[in-house]
Amino acid sequence: MTKAVQKITLSPSRDIPFNKLVLSQSNVRRVKAGVSIEQLAESIAQRTLLQSLNVRAVVDAEGNETGMFEVPAGGRRYRALELLVKQKRMAKAQTVPCVVREGGIAEDDSLAENDERVGLHPLDQFRAFQTLSGAGMSEEDIAARHFVAPAVVKQRLRLASVSPKLHDVYAEDGMTLEQLMAFSVTADQTRQEQVWENVSRSGYDEPYQIRRMLTENTVRASDRRAQFIGLDVYQQAGGGILRDLFEHDDGGWLQDVTLLDRLVTEKLKAEAEWIAAEGWKWISVAVDFPYGHTTRLRELGGQPVDLTSEEQATIEALNAEQAKLETEYQDADELPEEIDQRLGAIEAALLALEDRPKTYDPAEIARAGVFVSIDSEGRLSVDRGYVRPEDEAPAAGCDVEQGTDASSPNGQEADAPVQRAAISVAGAPTEPEEDDEDPARPLPDRLIIELTAHRTLALRDALAENPAIAFQAVLHNFVLTAFYRFASSGSCLEIGLRTPNFPAQAPGLRESVSAKAVEVRHEAWKARLPKSENDLWDALTALDGGAQASLFAHCASFAVNAVYEPANRYNQGRVSAHGVRTRLDQANVLARAAGLDMVQAGWRPTVDNYLGRVTKPRILEAVREAKGESSAQLIDHLKKADMAKEAERLLDGSGWLPEPLRLVDSSPSSVEPESEAGALPEFLADEEDPENGSDEDPQQLDAAE
């Protein structure tokens, strides 16, 4: 026989005057947490009491009801009502909805009411805020009614705008709140879904990786271009900015890169137009110029403009203020913020006053030019006074014979009208798309050139730091020239002194550690040497042996040429596979002797300088060599662009180098005559030597090209 289910009976509810209620000692809540009593009272005043009190009748010693009721569950609501009575915002006799309990244990009821309460899921709060916003409430109104800061409301509304598909994933615990925050950096829901599909399959789903993928086609607000034009100008021109409301984003990301570049170019050209009025022959404009762009140009000396009396007084006042502040706070463990800012402002002002503009001879200005660019801080950089070889003034004898005035270019009078400078804007070269799936295809020539350009610059720096090896290298070159008639063309040290140019500019070459070290050393020596070449001999004689050796090593380092240079129809008379091979072999000998380490020289594999330029098999090979097969398997399913980015992260700090940057394990004796040469390195293996082994007709080769 089926047993009947016993029906439950709910406790009755009553409206009881507030002055008939007292707080029970059976309430288990002792520690204050969550919303304060004041906030809860304000919420009741706005919305009335949303949840009844749980009460029990108070009885006397004989068990008779006294007409009073105690509150074991709902103590915070009772105190909030009590506060409203004290504030005279509610009458003492105001009836309060209550559930009257009989039987059971009061403490058990109080504990159950708190334990069984379920907090709102964050996603529900995001959507609720979105609903209130859609109903016409401002962010400030929502914040005031729910006792949070307006910034919190802004964040919740941003999270509510993320793709509903990702909301569903988050609701089912498929992603963390931090991941959802990362997706909110962009409002493009389609892109959000694409990135989630990618990272959820690859496992590279850290919030920083998600943000990086969502902003990969943007430019940071800290970029020199953005700093140069200013974010206000960019936004007024219609450019959008992505902002991260949950982490410091350094100003955000500029979305319209084409617009940014156009604004930068326009501003640079406008600045160049002002400078052109000074009478320069040419002005070259670029966001940034490559390393060595002033090589073989003569730099005009110029005379710094004298300080005015007002500027001198300003310098003295700033120095006095700086000394006073440093004395007052010399014993302080930490400077107050306003004092630290003031000292920084003083230092910046002194540097600006010390950086004096220069005046130049008008005749020199007429044949010289200016480089206009942007420095690393986003400020305008104007580098005046460079003369190209073809613009040098003709010899005085030639001028007299032709009846021209040597003091005036092209025979013009000194008071002739100022010429209009030719303004040119530099552009970046592009590379054709190639098939990425052939693992056997050798590295592209341009990439090898760029990699070996890095190596050449680092080798120059290493050689300059090792005078003994520099002497030996130059001696080796001299002996080759004197005793080995056909060997000098194979030397990697081009004594002349001729500084070879880099045929292709590698990304980041100008900002590399080696470039900066060479530049600092060069400027230090330039400051020590006399301005006039007539005084140079005596100045060199005055140097001791160590200083002479250091200067010798520095000068000799500029002759290093370890750049791979492929033979083609334009340089067949100058370059051969054997000549390149011999020069690179000797570069390896020199690199080992100088202790060259490209990792210590600051080179690391990135998307720009290697990983984005090679095939997918080569990317996987690099990761496999550095981190093992398991790491390679983590990225082998990705598209090339994503694979290159993740490979950059995996290889960071590993010390891995591509073959053209590694030290080849060979010795000077391995440099044999051409007929006995050993195997070529891999990146030279596919080069044909037109002097040895090629049966192709040169005319046929030209036609094929």
Side-chain angles (χ1 to χ4, degrees):
M1 185 174 179
T2 304
K3 186 176 181 181
V5 178
Q6 185 176 2
K7 302 296 189 294
I8 66 170
T9 301
L10 297 179
S11 299
S13 60
R14 288 174 55 184
D15 290 338
I16 302 174
F18 179 75
N19 55 7
K20 297 296 183 180
L21 301 175
V22 294
L23 191 61
S24 173
Q25 296 302 312
S26 301
N27 195 311
V28 298
R29 185 186 292 274
R30 297 288 187 268
V31 180
K32 293 183 179 180
V35 180
S36 69
I37 299 299
E38 291 78 9
Q39 290 178 348
L40 182 56
E42 190 63 32
S43 177
I44 294 173
Q46 292 177 2
R47 305 177 180 86
T48 193
L49 190 64
L50 300 179
Q51 185 178 354
S52 302
L53 301 181
N54 185 293
V55 302
R56 289 172 177 268
V58 178
V59 296
D60 57 18
E62 287 76 25
N64 300 317
E65 293 187 7
T66 62
M68 299 294 292
F69 295 85
E70 63 177 359
V71 184
R76 295 179 65 252
R77 278 163 281 156
Y78 174 84
R79 291 192 179 279
L81 294 171
E82 184 179 45
L83 178 60
L84 291 172
V85 171
K86 289 181 180 179
Q87 295 174 345
K88 301 188 182 302
R89 300 169 69 184
M90 190 181 85
K92 294 181 180 180
Q94 170 69 51
T95 58
V96 179
C98 301
V99 174
V100 182
R101 280 279 286 142
E102 297 178 357
I105 303 173
E107 288 82 359
D108 182 55
D109 290 350
S110 177
L111 179 62
E113 185 186 60
N114 288 281
D115 282 346
E116 295 167 6
R117 180 181 300 155
V118 178
L120 194 65
H121 191 281
L123 184 58
D124 292 328
Q125 185 194 41
F126 308 158
R127 291 168 171 167
F129 279 6
Q130 189 177 45
T131 300
L132 296 178
S133 177
M137 293 182 64
S138 67
E139 294 173 357
E140 290 73 17
D141 290 340
I142 297 173
R145 289 180 64 85
H146 293 274
F147 312 106
V148 294
V152 173
V153 177
K154 190 183 294 291
Q155 290 176 338
R156 300 299 186 264
L157 292 175
R158 177 70 69 86
L159 289 171
S161 68
V162 174
S163 167
K165 292 183 179 179
L166 300 190
H167 281 170
D168 294 341
V169 175
Y170 173 56
E172 297 173 0
D173 296 329
M175 73 169 63
T176 65
L177 179 58
E178 288 73 19
Q179 289 173 314
L180 189 67
M181 291 176 179
F183 279 108
S184 72
V185 76
T186 178
D188 187 345
Q189 295 185 351
T190 302
R191 180 59 180 157
Q192 293 170 353
E193 294 167 7
Q194 291 173 345
V195 170
W196 173 248
E197 182 179 358
N198 192 334
V199 301
S200 60
R201 285 189 290 103
S202 66
Y204 296 113
D205 56 358
E206 292 293 329
Y208 79 91
Q209 294 170 318
I210 294 171
R211 286 186 178 90
R212 184 174 63 186
M213 293 183 67
L214 289 171
T215 59
E216 61 184 353
N217 295 321
T218 62
V219 172
R220 275 199 171 275
S222 57
D223 185 273
R224 69 175 73 187
R225 293 169 291 175
Q227 294 293 317
F228 178 61
I229 64 168
L231 297 183
D232 291 341
V233 173
Y234 167 79
Q235 289 179 299
Q236 290 172 6
I241 299 179
L242 298 178
R243 297 304 306 265
D244 191 339
L245 298 183
F246 300 95
E247 288 192 359
H248 177 64
D249 60 10
D250 202 16
W253 296 267
L254 281 64
Q255 295 176 273
D256 196 337
V257 182
T258 302
L259 173 63
L260 172 65
D261 288 337
R262 178 173 64 80
L263 294 173
V264 169
T265 300
E266 290 174 355
K267 185 174 180 180
L268 282 174
K269 290 179 68 175
E271 296 287 353
E273 291 288 348
W274 281 99
I275 298 169
E278 299 173 10
W280 301 98
K281 182 172 184 179
W282 53 266
I283 297 178
S284 184
V285 176
V287 173
D288 188 25
F289 288 101
Y291 174 80
H293 67 286
T294 59
T295 302
R296 301 186 184 179
L297 301 183
R298 177 169 64 88
E299 183 178 2
L300 302 182
Q303 293 296 325
V305 176
D306 294 334
L307 290 168
T308 64
S309 57
E310 293 80 3
E311 289 174 331
Q312 186 62 47
T314 300
I315 291 176
E316 293 174 358
L318 290 173
N319 284 328
E321 183 182 359
Q322 184 182 46
K324 179 182 178 182
L325 291 175
E326 290 176 348
T327 301
E328 290 179 0
Y329 294 93
Q330 62 182 352
D331 298 327
D333 294 333
E334 185 175 355
L335 291 175
E337 183 177 356
E338 64 277 6
I339 300 300
D340 187 45
Q341 291 179 352
R342 179 54 187 163
L343 287 173
I346 291 174
E347 185 176 356
L350 288 173
L351 288 175
L353 289 168
E354 292 172 2
D355 186 14
R356 309 298 299 159
K358 294 182 178 180
T359 59
Y360 301 91
D361 182 353
E364 292 279 34
I365 290 178
R367 65 172 61 94
V370 182
F371 294 101
V372 178
S373 61
I374 308 173
D375 68 14
S376 59
E377 301 297 325
R379 297 169 301 206
L380 181 69
S381 174
V382 181
D383 200 6
R384 294 177 171 85
Y386 290 91
V387 182
R388 294 166 175 165
E390 62 268 24
D391 295 331
E392 291 288 2
C398 296
D399 292 337
V400 172
E401 290 177 6
Q402 298 174 12
T404 59
D405 183 1
S407 65
S408 176
N410 302 321
Q412 297 176 353
E413 296 294 332
D415 58 352
V418 175
Q419 65 179 347
R420 192 63 179 170
I423 300 176
S424 62
V425 180
T430 58
E431 295 184 359
E433 293 289 334
E434 296 180 343
D435 178 24
D436 289 333
E437 301 305 325
D438 182 9
R441 192 180 75 239
L443 293 176
D445 283 346
R446 181 181 175 86
L447 177 58
I448 299 176
I449 292 170
E450 293 179 359
L451 293 173
T452 52
H454 269 289
R455 188 170 190 252
T456 295
L457 196 58
L459 185 52
R460 289 178 184 178
D461 183 42
L463 187 64
E465 295 286 357
N466 200 325
I469 299 301
F471 272 114
Q472 183 173 326
V474 175
L475 178 60
H476 176 256
N477 180 276
F478 289 165
V479 172
L480 284 176
T481 304
F483 294 91
Y484 300 88
R485 187 175 178 185
F486 301 105
S488 60
S489 63
S491 176
C492 74
L493 206 61
E494 300 184 2
I495 298 298
L497 181 73
R498 186 178 74 86
T499 302
N501 284 330
F502 300 133
Q505 190 66 216
L509 189 64
R510 187 181 182 188
E511 290 82 14
S512 66
V513 175
S514 304
K516 292 179 179 178
V518 172
E519 182 180 2
V520 169
R521 187 184 304 109
H522 188 76
E523 291 300 319
W525 275 114
K526 186 176 180 180
R528 292 183 63 179
L529 295 175
K531 294 183 178 180
S532 173
E533 61 184 18
N534 297 328
D535 301 327
L536 179 59
W537 180 261
D538 292 338
L540 294 178
T541 303
L543 297 177
D544 59 27
Q548 287 183 344
S550 297
L551 179 58
F552 177 86
H554 174 67
C555 294
S557 71
F558 281 102
V560 171
N561 184 6
V563 176
Y564 165 73
E565 188 174 0
N568 54 53
R569 63 177 176 176
Y570 301 107
N571 62 11
Q572 284 182 0
R574 182 172 55 85
V575 177
S576 68
H578 173 64
V580 173
R581 180 183 62 217
T582 305
R583 175 160 54 80
L584 295 181
D585 285 343
Q586 292 192 7
N588 285 326
V589 174
L590 188 59
R592 283 198 310 277
L596 176 65
D597 185 338
M598 288 302 299
V599 176
Q600 292 183 359
W603 193 94
R604 67 181 186 87
T606 66
V607 173
D608 290 336
N609 68 15
Y610 184 81
L611 298 169
R613 313 278 297 282
V614 298
T615 62
K616 291 173 65 175
R618 283 193 180 273
I619 298 175
L620 294 173
E621 179 185 5
V623 174
R624 192 175 294 112
E625 288 181 1
K627 308 293 289 188
E629 180 64 33
S630 59
S631 295
Q633 291 177 357
L634 289 175
I635 64 173
D636 60 4
H637 63 285
L638 298 177
K639 294 181 180 179
K640 180 182 174 180
D642 296 331
M643 179 185 291
K645 292 176 184 177
E646 294 308 316
E648 176 180 336
R649 183 183 65 82
L650 290 171
L651 294 175
D652 188 26
S654 66
W656 181 88
L657 295 172
E659 184 178 356
L661 300 187
R662 301 175 187 175
L663 280 179
V664 178
D665 188 13
S666 60
S667 61
S669 61
S670 66
V671 181
E672 301 288 349
E674 185 169 340
S675 60
E676 301 177 8
L680 291 172
E682 179 185 345
F683 65 91
L684 288 177
D686 290 352
E687 290 292 326
E688 286 188 334
D689 188 344
E691 300 177 3
N692 196 17
S694 175
D695 296 330
E696 297 287 350
D697 187 281
Q699 294 181 353
Q700 294 178 354
L701 290 174
D702 288 346
E705 289 185 354

